[in-house]
Amino acid sequence: MSEAPYHDRDGWIWKNGEFVPWRDASVHVLTHGLHYASTVFEGERAYDGSIFLSRDHSERLHKSARLMGFELPYSVDELERAKQETVNKSGLGSAYVRAFAWRGSEKMGVSAQTNKINVAIAAWHWGDYFPDKMKGIRLMMAPWTRPAPHTAPCQAKAAGLYMICTLSKHAAENAGFQDALMLDWRGQIAEATGANIFFVQDGVLHTPTPDSFLNGLTRQTVIKLARARGIEVVERAIWPNELANFSEVFLTGSAAEITPVSEIAGMKFKPGHVTEALLSDFSTATRRKNAA
Ligand code: PMP
């Protein structure tokens, strides 16, 4: 049974300060964000009605906007209230929350200095990002590489940076994999198309230094949880020829949460003690009331 398309659902979407019926939350086709990717967004999850790391996400949305050369017309506190109201109004305990901002349709062309900045927030039920994720997902090597930091604002969660992610994810899916592993411009391992990556070698956690991709909030949480358990964590350059040395691999992200990886381009991995311990700690952390 296929799900209803996103434009044809019941509910409410917060748009520029008020709730509008879900089906009416549209933009004009001549919108700068649509043509020139002047859009930033957040992906978050609410657990038991409360958004995990909500404030960090709101702050990152502001940071992404600034990196794209614009200021959001709503403060972090205002976003916090609006996101929580959106979750409350959805009636969902567990929800995926998408807060986003884009340049409007006042002017067309590359320059958009005075275009209105629009902000919207939607929440919906989204189960596991990868179906059957606990079986472990299979990754293909991506046909595209992450751009060098001087070629794109790589610390922004900006729509334009997802062009190569969708291309890579489609290539992987078309070849029978669930996702793609992207290298950076130097050939080092970077991340998957919408999640960071971790490796285990002899009980030690290794993860690439986030110098050309998003330093994910889930990534930062997992590093803290691992260290709190006494697991050593090493952030460093990781090269593809090291893959054979690793015993466990997993992805982290707000949507992906912690997703075990069973294969990368023919090399097999199995979730073990480290992945299982972190899955359990992450589940405890997200289900704790995170009102702080
Ligand atoms: N990298 C990319 C490309 C992503 O889209 C995401 C998801 N936002 C992440 C990493 C993980 O970030 P976070 O843990 O903050 O969701």
Side-chain angles (χ1 to χ4, degrees):
M1 200 174 68
S2 67
E3 284 188 321
Y6 277 87
H7 61 267
D8 189 17
R9 294 182 176 198
D10 295 329
W12 298 90
I13 288 179
W14 186 95
K15 190 178 173 209
N16 293 330
E18 59 183 16
F19 283 100
V20 296
W22 188 286
R23 290 178 183 80
D24 299 342
S26 51
V27 294
H28 195 270
V29 290
L30 297 178
T31 291
H32 199 271
L34 185 60
H35 292 248
Y36 300 99
S38 52
T39 300
V40 294
F41 67 102
E42 275 305 316
E44 327 182 16
R45 276 189 191 270
Y47 299 89
D48 304 326
S50 144
I51 303 170
F52 185 57
L53 302 179
S54 184
R55 202 168 184 90
D56 298 282
H57 282 285
S58 296
E59 285 169 357
R60 186 168 70 184
L61 190 66
H62 269 265
K63 177 181 167 191
S64 297
R66 274 197 295 277
L67 286 166
M68 294 290 289
F70 60 87
E71 284 293 333
L72 298 185
Y74 300 96
S75 67
V76 167
D77 283 337
E78 286 169 327
L79 289 178
E80 285 300 286
R81 271 195 297 279
K83 288 194 302 186
Q84 190 59 53
E85 279 172 26
T86 307
V87 170
N88 296 349
K89 216 168 160 70
S90 76
L92 298 167
S94 291
Y96 179 82
V97 182
R98 173 62 57 91
F100 52 111
W102 68 98
R103 286 193 172 109
S105 47
E106 287 72 19
K107 284 222 163 74
M108 256 304 180
V110 173
S111 176
Q113 303 274 10
T114 56
N115 285 34
K116 179 178 166 189
I117 305 304
N118 298 273
V119 180
I121 304 164
W124 63 85
H125 170 74
W126 211 1
D128 287 342
Y129 183 67
F130 294 100
D132 271 339
K133 74 169 189 174
M134 295 315 292
K135 281 192 191 153
I137 60 163
R138 297 174 59 240
L139 304 184
M140 186 180 96
M141 296 309 288
W144 298 89
T145 57
R146 305 293 314 170
H150 62 280
T151 62
C154 59
Q155 296 302 334
K157 195 164 164 61
L161 289 164
Y162 285 83
M163 180 179 72
I164 53 173
C165 297
T166 298
L167 284 167
S168 297
K169 177 118 178 161
H170 284 184
E173 286 173 347
N174 294 343
F177 295 80
Q178 280 92 356
D179 204 351
L181 177 60
M182 306 188 79
L183 305 182
D184 73 9
W185 83 105
R186 295 164 295 205
Q188 296 170 6
I189 290 174
E191 58 170 356
T193 62
N196 294 122
I197 192 159
F198 283 83
F199 303 95
V200 180
Q201 184 177 5
D202 301 327
V204 176
L205 211 47
H206 298 257
T207 192
T209 309
D211 56 8
S212 69
F213 55 87
L214 216 55
N215 180 7
L217 297 172
T218 319
R219 176 187 183 279
Q220 295 173 47
T221 302
V222 162
I223 289 174
K224 276 193 210 130
L225 292 172
R227 289 190 172 139
R229 264 202 182 246
I231 297 169
E232 189 185 340
V233 184
V234 185
E235 294 182 73
R236 63 176 179 88
I238 301 177
W239 296 89
N241 64 7
E242 295 183 54
L243 285 172
N245 305 336
F246 300 127
S247 52
E248 305 175 39
V249 183
F250 59 84
L251 304 183
T252 65
S254 300
E257 301 175 294
I258 295 180
T259 296
V261 173
S262 63
E263 185 193 320
I264 304 176
M267 268 166 288
K268 304 273 197 250
F269 308 95
K270 234 194 164 131
H273 295 314
V274 176
T275 309
E276 278 157 19
L278 292 168
L279 274 163
S280 157
D281 290 354
F282 185 72
S283 168
T284 306
T286 51
R287 265 85 187 168
R288 207 171 43 216
K289 277 283 172 215
N290 40 78

